[in-house]
Amino acid sequence: MAFFTDVRGTSYEKDSSTLRLRKPLDKPLVLVFAWLQATNKHLGRIAEFYLEQGFEVLTVYITPWQILWPVHGSQKVAEDVVKFLSNNDFPEGLVLHGFSVGGYFWGECLVQLHAHPTGRRTLEKIVGQIWDSVTHLEEIPIGVPPAMFPRKPKLQNMLRNYLTYHMKLFHEAATQYYQKSTYMYHYEPVQCPALVLVSKSDPIGAEAPNKRLCGIWESKGVRTTFKCWDKSPHVGHFFKHRDEYVQLLLTHLKLLNLPMDSCKAKL
């Protein structure tokens, strides 16, 4: 499965059945939930920021097929994530950084964690979270087509029509799970500071639903910082507004009292 990838190619020895690391991490870990069709080149630039601050970085990928058929797709990957989080200790801290459909995918993980005997204890290992351009349930038909076919508008329209049809026809096999994931993501959040990053010009990870999300999290006791730029592309805020983005990350990370290295923040 597309899980547990280090963009630098570093190998972490682990037990294949439990995903427990042979050697515990001696640095804080950032677990990145990638956007669809994310490349190592782009993720590598984000990872480099964290590496310069003294973090380890691991990335979780899911595919469009795994979203369309969650029982045999995204939920199977979520099982591995839950197993990894449950069977490892993170003495230096654990931070989530999710992009686009990463919000949906983390909701699938939350569904499983809340059903897991030690799920709540596992969630307490997470000390901070960052969510960039999160795509919500109603935006799936909007967000997936351009990720799949970025320069082919006719194919985007065909896929958009199919996804709308898919969500109506396959409620039992797919849509009900999107709804459960969305509920958990909104109403059962991790109880640690959150940073939410969006743009007014992004129809895929739109401002309004992300602003509503922040309000819900605040009502649940989650300290939430919301940043909305006037103009930048979906999952492109880091590249369009790099200096400000980095400063927002540094400010947020310093709230978490992590053992960070001196801040270089030059990419």
Side-chain angles (χ1 to χ4, degrees):
M1 292 194 178
F3 168 61
F4 210 71
T5 302
D6 180 354
V7 295
R8 297 168 300 168
T10 301
S11 176
Y12 293 91
E13 293 187 12
K14 58 188 180 300
D15 182 273
S16 59
S17 61
T18 66
L19 297 183
R20 184 169 180 81
L21 297 172
R22 305 286 187 191
K23 182 181 179 182
L25 296 174
D26 58 1
K27 298 179 180 180
L29 173 68
V30 174
L31 191 59
V32 174
F33 297 106
W35 61 94
L36 291 178
Q37 311 291 75
T39 65
N40 275 355
K41 177 181 178 181
H42 288 119
L43 287 171
R45 292 177 66 187
I46 294 164
E48 187 63 29
F49 161 79
Y50 283 112
L51 295 171
E52 287 187 346
Q53 311 312 316
F55 288 82
E56 294 288 352
V57 182
L58 292 174
T59 304
V60 182
Y61 298 84
I62 56 173
T63 67
W65 180 91
Q66 288 169 329
I67 293 176
L68 286 176
W69 305 108
V71 174
H72 301 290
S74 56
Q75 291 178 11
K76 295 297 184 183
V77 185
E79 287 178 12
D80 279 351
V81 173
V82 170
K83 187 184 294 184
F84 172 72
L85 295 179
S86 301
N87 292 334
N88 285 283
D89 298 317
F90 306 98
E92 303 302 318
L94 170 64
V95 176
L96 309 180
H97 192 149
F99 295 86
S100 189
V101 296
Y104 150 72
F105 178 71
W106 176 241
E108 291 281 16
C109 296
L110 285 171
V111 170
Q112 296 190 25
L113 282 163
H114 280 273
H116 196 280
T118 63
R120 292 196 178 274
R121 196 180 325 141
T122 299
L123 288 169
E124 291 173 359
K125 300 176 184 180
I126 303 168
V127 299
Q129 51 188 324
I130 300 103
W131 298 103
D132 182 320
S133 308
V134 166
T135 301
H136 297 266
L137 175 64
E138 65 272 21
E139 296 158 339
I140 287 178
I142 301 171
V144 173
M148 290 294 297
F149 305 111
R151 296 178 181 84
K152 298 180 179 179
K154 289 185 179 179
L155 290 178
Q156 289 180 26
N157 287 332
M158 290 174 62
L159 182 55
R160 187 173 297 112
N161 290 335
Y162 172 75
L163 287 171
T164 301
Y165 170 80
H166 180 90
M167 290 176 71
K168 290 179 179 177
L169 184 64
F170 296 106
H171 183 272
E172 294 301 312
T175 306
Q176 66 162 322
Y177 299 112
Y178 305 151
Q179 293 170 340
K180 289 177 182 176
S181 166
T182 296
Y183 178 86
M184 296 302 289
Y185 183 72
H186 281 71
Y187 293 98
E188 296 291 344
V190 187
Q191 292 294 314
C192 60
L195 173 62
V196 177
L197 305 160
V198 299
S199 164
K200 293 179 184 295
S201 63
D202 178 13
I204 303 170
E207 176 189 7
N210 278 289
K211 206 165 190 176
R212 286 197 300 272
L213 171 74
C214 291
I216 294 168
W217 282 1
E218 289 278 1
S219 73
K220 298 287 182 179
V222 175
R223 178 176 178 176
T224 307
T225 302
F226 180 74
K227 171 63 182 179
C228 181
W229 286 279
D230 287 333
K231 187 175 181 180
S232 58
H234 185 61
V235 299
H237 315 318
F238 175 83
F239 306 100
K240 179 74 172 179
H241 306 281
R242 185 169 60 184
D243 291 345
E244 189 176 7
Y245 194 107
V246 164
Q247 191 56 54
L248 285 163
L249 284 183
L250 290 173
T251 300
H252 185 68
L253 293 170
K254 286 175 182 176
L255 288 174
L256 311 180
N257 296 317
L258 293 165
M260 296 166 58
D261 289 348
S262 59
C263 298
K264 302 175 185 178
K266 295 180 181 178
L267 300 176

